């Protein structure tokens, strides 16, 4: 399934319909080639080599690998150190986003809240067998124990970027996944329609160097082309893999990134 895209209609809630798109143009147009019956909870998920990676339920740190053709659960595991409680272990808009799969050109990561209820976030690499690497701690943005404070996230190459809030167009933090270093950055998503954004999901397509962002208030799909350069990331290589988005929206609007200042 290399190069195909996948989406869901209702991210955050239990959903069995996994929508398959033949390529990026079909994804933009909302042209579904087929639908698979794969149960999923939560917002961010991944599809790789015909396997769906996502949450088992909406209140634990359990994750699973499911064959998208047969719907059979092939493996399941608990992600050590991460919590699965809605609101407490999530992005600041909740949405059952306490266990979030994100893909890169070379593998996958899972991002969630610290099970110790410290208000911190954690991100760790995770392989096809659901084995995780050593987690990187992400400080809470606002000091609140209700969640880990950030609004949304995406990975470009080995750099995790974090949005200030679900209703903000500002990207304010960058985590180097190789070193664990967190830096303050200041990017603005320019060109968003309307004054009140509600960012529900994102995905970076390394094949086209495009970042897709789903805005829930207007049910709109935005995209940023040439995303690596706009966020100051150097891409050294690319390995074709399928890409995913947790909520399908028809049509695409284009954004530019405005970099006001950086402390990297």
């Amino acid at each position: 399934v290399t190069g195909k895209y996948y989406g869901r209609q209702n991210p955050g809630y239990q959903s069995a319909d996994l929508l398959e798109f033949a390529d990026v143009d079909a994804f933009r147009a909302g042209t579904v080639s087929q639908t698979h019956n794969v149960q999923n909870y939560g917002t961010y998920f991944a599809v790789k080599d015909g396997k769906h990676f996502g949450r088992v339920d909406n209140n634990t740190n359990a994750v699973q690998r499911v064959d998208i053709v047969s719907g059979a659960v092939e493996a399941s595991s608990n992600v050590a150190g991460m919590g699965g409680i809605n609101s407490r272990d999530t992005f600041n808009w909740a949405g059952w986003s306490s266990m979030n799969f994100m893909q890169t050109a070379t593998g996958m990561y899972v991002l969630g809240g610290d099970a110790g209820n410290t208000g911190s976030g954690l991100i760790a690499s995770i392989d096809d067998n659901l084995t995780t690497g050593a987690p990187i701690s992400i400080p809470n943005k606002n000091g609140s124990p209700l969640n880990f404070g950030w609004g949304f996230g995406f990975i470009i190459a080995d750099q995790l970027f974090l949005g200030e809030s679900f209703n903000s167009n500002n990207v304010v933090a960058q985590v180097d996944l190789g070193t664990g270093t967190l830096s303050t950055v200041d990017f603005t998503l320019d060109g968003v329609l309307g004054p009140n954004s509600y960012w529900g999901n994102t995905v970076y397509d390394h094949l086209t160097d495009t970042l897709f962002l789903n805005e829930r208030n207007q049910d709109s799909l935005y995209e940023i082309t040439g995303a690596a350069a706009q966020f100051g990331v150097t891409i050294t290589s690319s390995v074709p893999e399928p890409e995913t988005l947790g909520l399908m929206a028809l049509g695409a609007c284009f954004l530019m990134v405005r970099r006001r200042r950086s402390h990297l």
Side-chain angles (χ1 to χ4, degrees), residues 35 56 131 143 159 207 235:
T35 301
V56 171
T131 301
Q159 302 297 311
L207 298 178
I235 302 296

Side-chain angles (χ1 to χ4, degrees), residues 15-57:
S15 172
D17 292 335
L18 178 67
L19 309 176
E20 181 177 307
F21 304 86
D23 51 35
V24 66
D25 292 329
F27 180 63
R28 289 186 177 115
T31 304
V32 179
S33 58
Q34 57 182 312
T35 301
H36 303 280
N37 184 10
V38 178
Q39 291 288 340
N40 184 72
Y41 290 84
T43 304
Y44 294 70
F45 63 91
V47 178
K48 180 183 177 184
D49 298 330
K51 313 298 181 183
H52 177 282
F53 297 84
R55 301 188 68 180
V56 171
D57 52 40

Side-chain angles (χ1 to χ4, degrees), residues 78-131:
N78 293 86
V79 180
M82 290 190 185
I85 305 300
N86 196 42
S87 296
R88 191 196 76 177
D89 302 313
T90 61
F91 287 118
N92 65 3
W93 63 285
W96 286 269
S97 58
S98 53
M99 305 294 295
N100 305 286
F101 278 84
M102 297 181 178
Q103 282 177 274
T104 71
T106 56
M108 295 183 295
Y109 288 84
V110 60
L111 169 67
D114 190 318
N117 197 18
T118 63
S120 299
L122 294 174
I123 186 167
S125 62
I126 186 167
D127 64 20
D128 293 4
N129 295 318
L130 306 180
T131 301

Side-chain angles (χ1 to χ4, degrees), residues 3 7 19 64 93 114 146 160 187 211 245:
L19 309 176
Q64 63 185 7
W93 63 285
D114 190 318
L146 296 178
L160 169 68
F187 298 100
L211 176 65
L245 189 70

